[in-house]
Amino acid sequence: MSIFRVSLQDNDSYAFREYPPLTEYQRIHQELLPDMSGNTRSGVRRCESCGELLNKWEESLTGLVLKKRKYDISVTYDGVTVVSIRFKTAYEKECLSGLSFRQLPDDPDFFAISAAEKVEFDAERRKTRFVKPCPACNHFESVVGATPVYLKTGATIGIREFVRTDLEFGSNDEKHPLLLCGEIAANSLRTAKLRGLAIEKTAR
C-alpha cells in the first residue's frame, strides 16, 4: 500500500485571530515564524490558563478572507487547510473520498477541508516530543516530530481516500494533523495541476 502526504503552502491568513500590525522586517519573517500577537476573534474559546484553542475544529470561520489567493490548496497560520473551487471540482470529478468541504462565510470562493477518518501516528517509533502540557486543558504547547511519517501497524488508507493523523503537529494555534491520501487520490490531484499542491510518498 502506497501512502502520500499532502504538504501545504501558507496563505498569509489567520482563521482565529485578527491580522497583527507588522513591521516590514516582521512581514519578511512571517513564513518562518508567524506572528501570533493579533487579537483573538470574538467568540473563539481558549484555555484561560495557557491560551490554547479549546474547540478549534468546530469554531466559526466567519471573518476569514484569504490574503494569498493564488493557491488551490493552502493553510492558514493557525492550521486550517483551505481549498479553491478548482480543487473541489477536481476532487469530485475523480470520485475521491474522505474530505468534507466547509464554504468560508466571508470568502465563498474557498472552502475549509477536513478528513473524516483518522489513522494512528506511531509517536513512540518516531520519537515525537510533546512539549509543555497544560494542567488545565491537557493540551500541549508544541508537538514536534512529524517527518518522516510513521504510522502504527495496521493503518490503511483507500487508494482514492484522504485521512488525517490522530496527532496534531506544530506549536500553539498552528497545530494541525497531517493530511494523507492513497495513490489514485495523489495521482489525480497531480494531474489536475493544482496550484500550491505538493504530494510526496511517505509513511513507514
Side-chain angles (χ1 to χ4, degrees):
M1 177 182 67
S2 297
I3 298 174
F4 296 79
R5 177 183 175 182
V6 181
S7 298
L8 305 170
Q9 301 282 345
D10 78 83
N11 51 38
D12 195 26
S13 308
Y14 298 83
F16 308 114
R17 293 181 181 274
E18 302 295 336
Y19 204 95
L22 301 175
T23 65
E24 184 177 352
Y25 178 81
Q26 290 171 320
R27 286 300 303 269
I28 292 172
H29 287 80
Q30 272 286 78
E31 292 190 14
L32 298 176
L33 188 64
D35 189 299
M36 293 294 182
S37 65
N39 292 329
T40 293
R41 293 191 192 277
S42 176
V44 173
R45 294 182 58 225
R46 291 184 179 273
C47 175
E48 293 183 2
S49 177
C50 70
E52 282 286 305
L53 290 158
L54 295 177
N55 201 32
K56 180 172 183 174
W57 306 113
E58 283 72 48
E59 292 286 0
S60 168
L61 296 177
T62 299
L64 174 55
V65 177
L66 299 196
K67 286 186 171 291
K68 284 184 183 176
R69 309 181 65 80
K70 62 184 179 180
Y71 298 130
D72 291 308
I73 182 168
S74 61
V75 65
T76 67
Y77 289 134
D78 34 23
V80 176
T81 301
V82 178
V83 300
S84 67
I85 292 173
R86 191 164 172 257
F87 179 102
K88 187 172 185 289
T89 299
Y91 173 92
E92 292 171 346
K93 178 182 177 183
E94 298 299 328
C95 299
L96 306 182
S97 66
L99 294 180
S100 63
F101 292 78
R102 183 179 172 193
Q103 193 169 36
L104 301 186
D106 296 320
D107 200 350
D109 289 338
F110 292 91
F111 302 80
I113 61 167
S114 60
E117 297 296 324
K118 295 180 183 179
V119 290
E120 289 187 275
F121 190 93
D122 196 334
E124 183 177 355
R125 191 156 59 102
R126 175 56 187 82
K127 296 182 172 56
T128 299
R129 293 185 293 117
F130 299 86
V131 180
K132 199 174 179 181
C134 173
C137 68
N138 296 318
H139 290 190
F140 294 91
E141 180 185 84
S142 301
V143 180
V144 182
T147 304
V149 177
Y150 287 87
L151 300 182
K152 289 192 176 179
T153 302
T156 60
I157 301 176
I159 56 176
R160 294 181 177 275
E161 183 183 21
F162 289 83
V163 301
R164 58 189 163 105
T165 54
D166 60 335
L167 296 183
E168 298 179 12
F169 299 91
S171 298
N172 304 114
D173 286 8
E174 72 173 322
K175 288 192 291 292
H176 61 279
L178 306 182
L179 182 61
L180 308 175
C181 68
E183 187 168 9
I184 289 181
N187 291 337
S188 296
L189 295 186
R190 283 172 174 158
T191 300
K193 297 182 178 179
L194 300 168
R195 294 166 303 222
L197 179 70
I199 297 182
E200 59 181 350
K201 191 173 181 179
T202 187
R204 300 182 183 185

